[in-house]
Amino acid sequence: MLKKILFLVLTIIYWFWLSIILGYNIKNPELKWDWNQLETQNFIFPENFIWGIATSAHQVEGNNLNNNWYLFENQIKKNNIPNIYNGDRSGLASNHWNLYDKDIQLMKKLGVDHYRFSIEWSKIEPEQGVFDYTIIDHYQKKIDALINNKITPVITLHHFTNPIWFEEKGAFEKSENIKYFVDFSSFAFKQFSSSVLFWCTINEPMVYVYEGYFNGVFPPAKKDPVLAIKVLKNMLNAHVLVYKRLKTMTNGNKVKIGMVKNIFQFDPLNRLNILDWYMSSLLNDIFTNEPINFFKNGRSSFFMPGFVNDQIVNDDAKSSLDFIGLNYYSRFHVKGKINLSEPFIFKTRKQDIQTDMNYPMYPEGIYKALKTIDKLNVPIYITENGIADSTDSNRAIFINQYLYSTNKALREGVDVKGYFYWSLMDNFEWAKGYSMKFGLYEVDFKTQERKLRDGSKSLINIIKRSKNKIQIK
Ligand code: BGC
């Protein structure tokens, strides 16, 4: 009798497990193509497809001495280890501040026609309400130089850095601080919107929040999930308010304004493990699906057992995007844990080709991400995509395969209008310092010389053959 009951219980558990696992697997099939069977040397993009490269101020300009990152780079952790890998500091970075003219020539050699860069808030508004017109003048000269070279400027208003005065007020931790960012944005818009028609409000709010308030590797290096969601809320609302304000200003109806969303997929490490599935689906919701819901329906909910249970509602969010910027790099494999203080970890898998960052190459992922973000029904620009590859052994394959996937999504009807490669040249990779080599051009940081990497030629070729409509049969 006891044996029979035990058998029955085990059978019920088994069927329960099987139906859940089947459900997860059917809903989220593993996307993996056989690259040996695919023709990846032949695809071309439409003539009007936009080709660009991207950088951000703090990573390339040099001499940013007045923002939260400058402070962070000069602090050490409790265990005496520097905040930045190897004790690096951004310092002179790639000296793009002084070398932008030369850099524009490097862009031209690539064949790109757009340049996405951020303007440094802490330089423009070094103290609250005090604006530095010599800096405005410098950025205007750079914008003019781009236009004279037939490269369209694309401005990002916030790319991870805050002026020290804003950080001291609590930055985006407090909703009452949003107004400072809106004021800065409208000031910058007034200065540049007659020559710049393409604007990104905030770069990757989710990454800023995850790294700064959950992982603790970006300033302010907190580990507080409840605060993290509050900051995310304020940043998303800040985007909406900036969008609304800029649209009412002169040139507001001529320009395109959007936000930049990073998508990293979270996949279960073991596709037969319910906990791995559960944690990865919670992470996909928090990181991607719920922020998308915010723009689609004006509301999103954030839930992680033991950590957060929160909601955002903002009806204006639904009409606050002329486009969406997609930054895509890779995915993470999640191992769920029965441990409330650390409910998951990320693991690498032997079968994957690793980049120099802690994630693998996953070209199919950009196709998936495009399909996901397409749910917003607004034009999409890939505002960042690139690989850290110090030996330059995978860059060419990376570019070919990620662009093949992008091309496939486009041919299937996804409204992707352009692609910006990250990055023009090696630069300061945040907490990883100068150890990561994302540049199409290699930079010798002693001499500031730039040299085209071999692997970058595959991007040049794809742009060339698309512009000249050359399809090799
Ligand atoms: C950021 C860049 C960064 C790049 C590579 C993106 O998340 O916007 O600033 O350098 O990823 O890690």
Side-chain angles (χ1 to χ4, degrees):
M1 181 66 184
L2 206 66
K3 263 191 185 168
K4 267 192 182 162
I5 293 177
L6 194 66
F7 179 74
L8 196 70
V9 169
L10 286 177
T11 313
I12 290 172
I13 292 177
Y14 173 74
W15 281 105
F16 181 68
W17 169 84
L18 191 67
S19 59
I20 292 183
I21 286 294
L22 271 179
Y24 272 130
N25 275 280
I26 290 168
K27 218 174 140 214
N28 312 284
E30 164 80 341
L31 191 65
K32 190 88 199 95
W33 301 327
D34 181 355
W35 288 96
N36 295 323
Q37 299 302 315
L38 297 173
E39 176 49 81
T40 59
Q41 303 298 322
N42 203 14
F43 59 86
I44 57 170
F45 283 83
E47 240 174 310
N48 59 353
F49 193 77
I50 279 173
W51 293 100
I53 40 114
T55 65
S56 89
H58 191 73
Q59 295 179 270
V60 297
E61 280 180 353
N63 283 322
N64 276 320
L65 312 176
N66 193 22
N67 65 26
N68 54 341
W69 271 87
Y70 174 73
L71 297 183
F72 190 64
E73 290 158 24
N74 285 290
Q75 289 156 359
I76 46 168
K77 295 183 192 138
K78 283 195 195 97
N79 51 7
N80 256 346
I81 294 176
N83 278 332
I84 311 298
Y85 177 80
N86 203 25
D88 285 352
R89 294 185 167 119
S90 55
L92 197 56
S94 324
N95 197 14
H96 181 59
W97 187 259
N98 297 309
L99 299 179
Y100 69 81
D101 263 330
K102 280 193 182 150
D103 290 340
I104 292 174
Q105 297 315 310
L106 301 185
M107 295 175 205
K108 284 178 75 178
K109 285 196 184 131
L110 299 171
V112 299
D113 42 46
H114 280 62
Y115 177 35
R116 172 179 173 239
F117 60 95
S118 68
I119 49 175
E120 180 57 34
W121 182 5
S122 66
K123 274 183 171 141
I124 295 178
E125 192 179 1
E127 287 169 50
Q128 191 216 317
V130 178
F131 296 95
D132 188 334
Y133 284 88
T134 61
I135 301 293
I136 294 296
D137 198 45
H138 178 96
Y139 280 127
Q140 188 62 57
K141 283 198 180 112
K142 171 163 142 178
I143 291 167
D144 293 343
L146 285 164
I147 296 172
N148 288 337
N149 281 284
K150 300 200 171 42
I151 295 184
T152 305
V154 179
I155 285 186
T156 305
L157 287 160
H158 188 276
H159 196 124
F160 293 167
T161 57
N162 297 324
I164 291 175
W165 63 263
F166 182 68
E167 190 79 356
E168 281 171 351
K169 284 181 192 293
F172 290 104
E173 289 174 20
K174 296 185 181 147
S175 57
E176 60 269 31
N177 289 346
I178 295 176
K179 60 176 181 286
Y180 301 111
F181 179 60
V182 179
D183 287 348
F184 158 70
S185 302
S186 54
F187 174 82
F189 193 76
K190 198 166 164 214
Q191 306 304 316
F192 304 126
S193 61
S194 49
S195 31
V196 180
L197 300 177
F198 202 154
W199 292 74
C200 305
T201 55
I202 303 182
N203 181 68
E204 304 183 343
M206 224 21 246
V207 173
Y208 175 95
V209 164
Y210 181 80
E211 300 290 35
Y213 291 89
F214 195 83
N215 215 9
V217 300
F218 280 17
K222 295 185 181 172
K223 292 189 179 183
D224 181 343
V226 174
L227 184 60
I229 295 301
K230 195 170 170 205
V231 175
L232 178 64
K233 247 188 204 184
N234 290 336
M235 290 185 106
L236 292 175
N237 286 333
H239 159 81
V240 176
L241 287 171
V242 170
Y243 180 91
K244 276 177 64 183
R245 171 84 77 91
L246 304 192
K247 281 291 170 184
T248 61
M249 293 175 63
T250 309
N251 300 321
N253 52 5
K254 284 197 216 146
V255 301
K256 292 190 278 249
I257 306 174
M259 202 196 76
V260 172
K261 169 84 190 85
N262 176 304
I263 293 187
F264 260 92
Q265 292 99 1
F266 298 94
D267 283 343
L269 183 68
N270 178 350
R271 296 183 70 84
L272 299 178
N273 183 313
I274 292 186
L275 200 54
D276 292 6
W277 272 110
Y278 179 63
M279 285 321 299
S280 47
S281 79
L282 283 183
L283 285 167
N284 282 321
D285 284 348
I286 293 189
F287 201 88
T288 297
N289 300 333
E290 290 301 329
I292 288 181
N293 279 341
F294 177 76
F295 290 111
K296 229 178 135 52
N297 314 314
R299 55 206 62 223
S300 33
S301 323
F302 296 92
F303 175 67
M304 171 83 62
F307 282 103
V308 276
N309 190 359
D310 205 345
Q311 280 169 357
I312 318 183
V313 179
N314 183 343
D315 281 331
D316 290 335
K318 282 182 272 184
S319 49
S320 72
L321 292 174
D322 298 334
F323 70 90
I324 186 79
L326 168 68
N327 288 0
Y328 185 82
Y329 289 87
S330 181
R331 65 170 165 183
F332 285 114
H333 284 99
V334 178
K335 169 135 204 58
K337 289 169 82 181
I338 307 182
N339 174 355
L340 272 186
S341 63
E342 194 192 39
F344 61 87
I345 50 170
F346 298 142
K347 285 248 179 198
T348 52
R349 306 184 313 169
K350 279 204 191 79
Q351 66 264 45
D352 291 332
I353 301 176
Q354 294 302 317
T355 69
D356 294 347
M357 297 288 279
N358 56 343
Y359 47 73
M361 268 181 45
Y362 184 48
E364 293 88 341
I366 197 165
Y367 168 88
K368 270 179 85 173
L370 282 164
K371 296 260 166 164
T372 304
I373 205 99
D374 199 34
K375 290 186 196 137
L376 283 172
N377 279 325
V378 292
I380 304 164
Y381 293 86
I382 296 171
T383 33
E384 280 180 39
N385 175 237
I387 181 171
D389 179 16
S390 59
T391 56
D392 200 34
S393 30
N394 291 320
R395 191 167 275 101
I397 307 172
F398 177 97
I399 292 172
N400 248 321
Q401 295 189 346
Y402 276 65
L403 276 167
Y404 171 91
S405 300
T406 302
N407 192 269
K408 180 170 158 68
L410 186 142
R411 281 187 285 113
E412 288 174 15
V414 172
D415 191 13
V416 50
K417 298 213 172 304
Y419 174 90
F420 292 71
Y421 191 83
W422 183 274
S423 183
L424 174 64
M425 61 210 154
D426 293 338
N427 57 46
F428 178 73
E429 178 52 33
W430 308 113
K432 309 243 184 222
Y434 287 104
S435 61
M436 293 295 141
K437 308 296 181 190
F438 275 96
L440 291 171
Y441 288 92
E442 180 179 359
V443 175
D444 176 334
F445 287 99
K446 286 201 192 87
T447 60
Q448 289 295 343
E449 254 170 85
R450 283 96 158 108
K451 194 172 144 230
L452 186 71
R453 287 198 163 94
D454 251 6
S456 313
K457 291 180 187 151
S458 87
L459 179 64
I460 300 181
N461 289 339
I462 296 170
I463 298 178
K464 213 184 263 165
R465 74 173 187 248
S466 297
K467 286 194 171 164
N468 299 330
K469 296 197 202 143
I470 303 168
Q471 207 164 10
I472 315 144
K473 284 271 160 341

